[in-house]
Amino acid sequence: MTQPTIRRAAVIGSGVMGSGIAAHLANSGIPCLLLDVAPAQLTEEEAKLGLTLEHPSVRNRLANAAIAKMKKTNPAPLYAEEFAQRITPGNLEDDLPRIAEADWVIEVIVEKLEAKRQLFGRIEPYWRPGIVVSSNTSGISINEMAKERSEGFRGHFMGTHFFNPPRYMKLIEIIPGHDTDPELVKRMKAFCETKLGKGVVLAKDTPNFIANRIGTYGMLAVLREMAEKGYTVEEIDAATGPAMGRPKSASMRTLDLVGLDTFEHVVDNVRNNVADPAEQALFETPEAVRELVKGGRLGEKSGAGFYCKRKGADGKNEILALDPATMEYRPQRKPSAGSLEASKQAKGTRAKIQALLGGGDRYSELAWNVLKRTLLYSASKAYEIADSIEEIDKAMRWGFNWELGPFETWDAIGLVPSAKRMAAEGESLPEWVAAWIAEGHTSFYSQEQGVRSYAHEGRWRKEEQRAEIVSLKGLKEQGRTIKGNGGASLIDLGDGVACLEFHSPNNAIGADILTMISQSVDEVRRNYEGLVIANEGRNFCVGANLMLLLMEAQEQEWEEIDGIIRQFQNAMLKLKRLEKPVVAAPHRMTLGGGVEACLPADLVVASPETYYGLVEVGVGLIPAGGGCKEFALRASESAASLPGSDVQPYVIRSFETIGMAKVSTSGHDAKKLGYLRETDRVAANPDHRIYEAKQAVLRMVQGGYEPVPERKLAVAGAEGKAVLTLGAIGMRESGYISDHDLKIAKKLAHVLAGGDLPAGTLVSEQYMLDLEREAFLSLCGEPLTQQRMQHMLTKGKALRN
């Protein structure tokens, strides 16, 4: 069976998940038909407009409303608002035949088996061979849904369980039915990974599949501990959040976000669909949840759940916590204990969990009991719900944002000692785990020369090695580091391409990174074909080392600051002048100096979730590592590309972007803001960006790469500076900015306009760098700027003084 390329899709159901899936298909460049039911009644507004039930805007009301909501929702489901144009609204009565035009039809209606069966019965008359049909169910049997359909339909049918919100959550569980073509499953997996940018796990058709099965059980274990041991809501979240390698929302806040009614439904789905009475008993919904749901306290969507937001006596919002004993809300009480503090101080997830468990207090006991139950349950269900423990670990990392999956967690706390403790406490290990330990194994995973293997059916199985997933950590373990220091390393990617990796705290740019940039340019010039700039940190780079700058400014070490900025500028200029291709591959937070480290590159291959911005004005400064210079250069080049065009409008745009510290909401948005060029790219899958960056380098080499010669740029000059300054003064007079903001804006205007030269004067890049550095130095000496720097370092947010 061949499976055509998916060029068009249809989503049936325009609720939160359906509209989110349609939005992400649009993000990925796939036109999508979004269908829902045709309303049976007019709204008051429609009646006032004289519309009838037959009017298209009425019949498509639900899909239209969903598309309109996409543009306003925060966090945004779309990479860019204009991508909504790729979604066509419709309704099931008029437009169902149009699914024949699609290559993939996704059902996203109510989680009821009979409703889904009926819908697939309506779909099949319009289905043609080759169309993939899938359900986004979170736990209903795939085989039961399709059992009344034809053999050909069942061969093209599967579950594709997206996690909410679809844009941001990495996981898709693909669940084949008994009759689903295995080759089609492989191709859909590859499509979801490469085109939708997702992490895909293959799940078996069991209740709630993988992530929801394990995650729901883990939540029940938490709620059981709370009920049996009298822990407070805050204590539960303190021990089961980052201290345990879980998200900040921990357990109770996560339940509120999910919705307690939704959680109850998911729990009931397992209990009603498993045969073992002992397991059914494990999936009894706790009394506290039932009482909250009965009272309409469903979590965040109803305004109250385990937490409740209310206005305090001072009129400000405050978050109250539920007292499980009284089921009433009270002010939160922040837990404090040695184990919690030790976990907070520990570096890395493994060390945090070990510190939490080793504290010897009630929180250590809570963490142990929750982990013990979750690990044992995961192991007991391992081969029932998935083909490997690796799939389970991926599902929990990608679907629930756990730092470590269950089996990785078990390794982190010590497989053998923890198993002995479990046995001493009367627990029974699953037979396969006991046999694995008896054979002398001390972990579920092993690492050798950068390649990881995992326990599988009594032997080691190597993880799949895929060319498009490059692991810098793995390459370093293979001895592929060319050179390095405390802040950065140069790594051999193979095929004559090197990678410059930042690994300082928060990947902040300091002297170590700048030195390594300079050394990397020399090394690549001598021995390599090109350079990639990328790393595997949580964020690409949050900017320069602000603490160092503040300390030097407070000590009035102006020569030291001048030297730091000169080193930064020289490193960026040296990178730009490298005679070999340079490709930057930023991801997530890429701010200030992080952007300036990418600006010299010939090409940028960004992650879809790249939050990119020159934000220096937020700490009372302006970009001085070449950021202003590069924007002025781009303005000059843009004007030169259109005969008779003036540079001024382009400079104004740059002034607004930098002066307002605009940060992109996605890689695509970075193009709209002018941070990325039209020639720059956004990788569909963030895990592939280093590979794609390397391939881009090789294509440039094969195409006969020629470095861009240094060119002079035309400046807006004194006239342009006056226009920019006037705009800033207007904002001050309107109360939008402070006096200090105005001072910063004037400095920025002076630099971007090229100083007080006549408009159109051609200047060198070095001239612009000198202007940057002078303005930066003068602002460092301002007490209000130093206050802003201090506030950012201590509070983590900008101060407007």
Side-chain angles (χ1 to χ4, degrees):
M1 181 188 297
T2 59
Q3 195 270 315
T5 300
I6 292 175
R7 300 181 185 88
R8 301 185 63 84
V11 175
I12 301 177
S14 66
V16 172
M17 279 304 297
S19 61
I21 291 169
H24 195 63
L25 290 167
N27 286 337
S28 305
I30 301 167
C32 179
L33 179 66
L34 181 61
L35 303 181
D36 213 314
V37 297
Q41 290 182 314
L42 293 174
T43 65
E44 189 175 324
E45 185 178 345
E46 288 167 343
K48 286 180 179 177
L49 292 171
L51 302 178
T52 69
L53 288 174
E54 301 307 312
H55 194 281
S57 68
V58 175
R59 295 183 72 74
N60 297 341
R61 181 205 303 156
L62 295 180
N64 279 326
I67 295 169
K69 190 176 180 181
M70 290 175 192
K71 302 173 185 179
K72 302 174 183 176
T73 301
N74 187 26
L78 294 163
Y79 289 151
E81 190 177 303
E82 61 268 23
F83 289 177
Q85 297 169 8
R86 297 170 179 168
I87 305 172
T88 303
N91 68 81
L92 284 167
E93 283 68 27
D94 303 327
D95 301 304
L96 192 58
R98 295 182 62 186
I99 65 171
E101 304 166 10
D103 302 306
W104 183 14
V105 178
I106 310 171
E107 169 272 309
V108 200
I109 66 169
V110 63
E111 280 288 87
K112 292 182 179 178
L113 176 59
E114 193 51 42
K116 293 177 186 292
R117 280 179 175 166
Q118 290 177 9
L119 177 61
F120 292 126
R122 294 179 63 188
I123 286 173
E124 185 159 14
Y126 306 106
W127 176 80
R128 57 174 172 76
I131 297 178
V132 181
V133 182
S134 70
S135 171
N136 183 61
T137 178
S138 60
I140 297 176
S141 171
I142 300 304
N143 290 300
E144 285 298 310
M145 279 187 224
K147 71 178 185 179
E148 296 173 358
R149 306 276 59 82
S150 67
E151 182 179 351
F153 188 99
R154 294 197 308 273
H156 288 76
F157 184 69
M158 65 186 72
T160 51
H161 180 207
F162 289 74
F163 275 64
N164 191 33
R167 167 182 165 179
Y168 299 95
M169 294 302 291
K170 184 173 181 176
L171 180 62
I172 291 181
E173 291 175 319
I174 289 184
I175 311 99
H178 294 319
D179 301 316
T180 311
D181 176 30
E183 185 60 31
L184 180 61
V185 173
K186 290 180 184 177
R187 294 184 182 186
M188 283 301 294
K189 180 176 185 290
F191 173 82
C192 290
E193 289 170 342
T194 57
K195 189 69 174 176
L196 302 188
K198 295 301 180 184
V200 178
V201 299
L202 299 181
K204 295 183 179 180
D205 189 18
T206 57
N208 288 10
F209 314 129
I210 299 175
N212 277 344
R213 183 75 168 267
I214 301 299
T216 301
Y217 177 84
M219 287 293 189
L220 289 170
V222 166
L223 291 165
R224 197 171 302 129
E225 281 295 298
M226 185 172 75
E228 292 175 359
K229 306 289 174 56
Y231 289 102
T232 67
V233 168
E234 304 97 310
E235 287 177 324
I236 292 289
D237 278 353
T240 62
M244 197 185 278
R246 309 284 172 82
K248 288 182 179 179
S249 56
S251 299
M252 317 313 280
R253 287 188 187 277
T254 295
L255 285 171
D256 277 357
L257 289 168
V258 167
L260 299 181
D261 53 338
T262 301
F263 177 69
E264 184 180 40
H265 170 78
V266 172
V267 171
D268 289 346
N269 188 57
V270 177
R271 188 180 64 256
N272 296 335
N273 289 284
V274 295
D276 181 6
E279 187 170 9
Q280 289 175 348
L282 293 174
F283 280 83
E284 281 292 339
T285 302
E287 183 58 33
V289 174
R290 289 204 184 277
E291 187 172 338
L292 287 169
V293 172
K294 187 177 179 181
R297 293 187 282 179
L298 309 180
E300 189 165 278
K301 61 187 172 185
S302 68
F306 284 105
Y307 293 94
C308 175
K309 181 187 287 188
R310 290 181 182 167
K311 284 195 180 297
D314 58 359
K316 295 181 179 178
N317 285 328
E318 60 178 343
I319 307 295
L320 306 178
L322 183 76
D323 183 339
T326 65
M327 297 301 288
E328 299 295 331
Y329 296 100
R330 54 157 177 76
Q332 291 189 59
R333 303 167 188 159
K334 186 176 181 180
S336 177
S339 62
L340 298 177
E341 188 58 33
S343 176
K344 189 181 295 184
Q345 298 302 320
K347 300 297 183 184
T349 303
R350 292 171 183 268
K352 286 182 180 296
I353 299 174
Q354 290 168 359
L356 178 63
L357 293 178
D361 54 34
R362 61 191 264 104
Y363 300 100
S364 300
E365 180 186 3
L366 166 61
W368 168 251
N369 287 336
V370 169
L371 280 177
K372 176 180 69 173
R373 290 172 177 172
T374 305
L375 300 182
L376 288 171
Y377 185 76
S378 299
S380 70
K381 297 298 167 186
Y383 297 105
E384 177 184 328
I385 64 177
D387 286 327
S388 72
I389 64 169
E390 181 195 32
E391 295 287 275
I392 293 174
D393 280 344
K394 285 179 177 178
M396 299 316 297
R397 291 201 314 270
W398 297 344
F400 276 71
N401 288 326
W402 291 8
E403 294 288 337
L404 300 172
F407 298 96
E408 293 166 325
T409 299
W410 211 334
D411 280 359
I413 67 174
L415 171 59
V416 174
S418 62
K420 287 180 179 177
R421 181 177 174 183
M422 291 174 187
E425 293 174 358
E427 306 287 353
S428 297
L429 291 174
E431 189 175 311
W432 74 269
V433 176
W436 182 254
I437 294 173
E439 290 172 10
H441 298 294
T442 58
S443 65
F444 290 114
Y445 288 90
S446 68
Q447 191 96 359
E448 188 175 345
Q449 291 189 326
V451 178
R452 196 164 79 150
S453 300
Y454 58 91
H456 186 75
E457 296 180 344
R459 58 185 176 81
W460 290 110
R461 173 191 275 184
K462 288 185 178 181
E463 286 188 339
E464 181 185 7
Q465 300 299 297
R466 299 173 56 185
E468 63 267 30
I469 298 180
V470 177
S471 168
L472 298 180
K473 180 182 177 183
L475 291 173
K476 288 193 286 188
E477 289 172 354
Q478 294 171 27
R480 301 274 285 275
T481 301
I482 302 164
K483 57 177 55 187
N485 59 29
S489 295
L490 188 66
I491 303 163
D492 186 355
L493 294 180
D495 300 315
V497 181
C499 178
L500 175 62
E501 176 202 31
F502 301 166
H503 47 66
S504 63
N506 295 317
N507 285 345
I509 296 177
D512 282 352
I513 288 180
L514 296 174
T515 297
M516 188 51 57
I517 290 174
S518 181
Q519 293 179 358
S520 296
V521 170
D522 293 337
E523 181 68 27
V524 170
R525 180 176 283 129
R526 287 192 300 265
N527 299 313
Y528 288 85
E529 298 291 337
L531 177 67
V532 168
I533 305 173
N535 63 68
E536 295 170 331
R538 177 172 176 77
N539 297 302
F540 177 79
C541 177
V542 298
N545 188 331
L546 191 60
M547 175 65 79
L548 175 62
L549 281 171
L550 177 60
M551 290 172 59
E552 298 289 6
Q554 289 174 335
E555 295 295 324
Q556 300 185 15
E557 297 287 354
W558 310 124
E559 289 187 7
E560 288 293 328
I561 296 176
D562 183 75
I564 292 169
I565 301 307
R566 283 181 187 274
Q567 186 184 10
F568 199 143
Q569 292 180 340
N570 291 340
M572 296 305 106
L573 205 54
K574 188 173 182 179
L575 191 60
K576 186 173 184 178
R577 298 287 173 254
L578 178 61
E579 303 85 354
K580 309 286 181 72
V582 177
V583 178
H587 66 284
R588 292 187 61 81
M589 300 299 286
T590 303
L591 304 175
V595 172
E596 290 176 309
C598 298
L599 289 174
D602 297 288
L603 179 74
V604 175
V605 178
S607 165
E609 301 301 337
T610 302
Y611 314 125
Y612 205 80
L614 292 168
V615 296
E616 286 84 352
V617 297
V619 289
L621 299 168
I622 67 163
C628 292
K629 178 263 294 182
E630 284 296 321
F631 265 70
L633 180 60
R634 290 183 184 183
S636 175
E637 291 174 345
S638 296
S641 67
L642 296 171
S645 180
D646 184 8
V647 72
Q648 183 67 35
Y650 301 101
V651 174
I652 290 174
R653 183 186 180 194
S654 300
F655 181 70
E656 291 173 350
T657 299
I658 299 173
M660 297 176 69
K662 292 182 179 180
V663 177
S664 72
T665 57
S666 68
H668 296 85
D669 188 47
K671 278 195 174 185
K672 287 177 63 179
L673 292 176
Y675 286 121
L676 296 183
R677 301 155 294 196
E678 283 303 312
T679 52
D680 293 328
R681 292 173 35 214
V682 179
N685 190 320
D687 293 340
H688 299 176
R689 65 191 164 78
I690 299 178
Y691 170 79
E692 291 192 23
K694 174 186 171 183
Q695 297 307 118
V697 168
L698 293 175
R699 283 193 296 271
M700 288 187 215
V701 172
Q702 292 162 4
Y705 174 79
E706 292 184 9
V708 178
E710 182 176 359
R711 299 189 184 98
K712 292 197 171 186
L713 60 146
V715 298
E719 293 178 13
K721 174 183 169 181
V723 172
L724 300 179
T725 302
L726 188 61
I729 291 172
M731 292 187 71
R732 176 66 193 103
E733 290 177 348
S734 301
Y736 292 113
I737 63 175
S738 68
D739 287 337
H740 192 53
D741 289 325
L742 179 58
K743 181 174 286 188
I744 299 164
K746 288 180 176 179
K747 295 284 187 183
L748 179 62
H750 180 76
V751 174
L752 286 174
D756 295 315
L757 299 172
T761 301
L762 295 178
V763 301
S764 68
E765 291 187 45
Q766 187 60 56
Y767 169 84
M768 296 297 293
L769 290 173
D770 291 341
L771 288 182
E772 276 187 357
R773 192 175 65 259
E774 290 164 7
F776 188 93
L777 274 167
S778 68
L779 287 170
C780 281
E782 294 285 342
L784 292 179
T785 284
Q786 293 178 21
Q787 287 179 19
R788 291 190 179 194
M789 295 165 76
Q790 183 73 53
H791 193 269
M792 179 61 72
L793 288 167
T794 55
K795 303 291 186 181
K797 55 186 178 182
L799 171 68
R800 289 296 179 190
N801 54 359

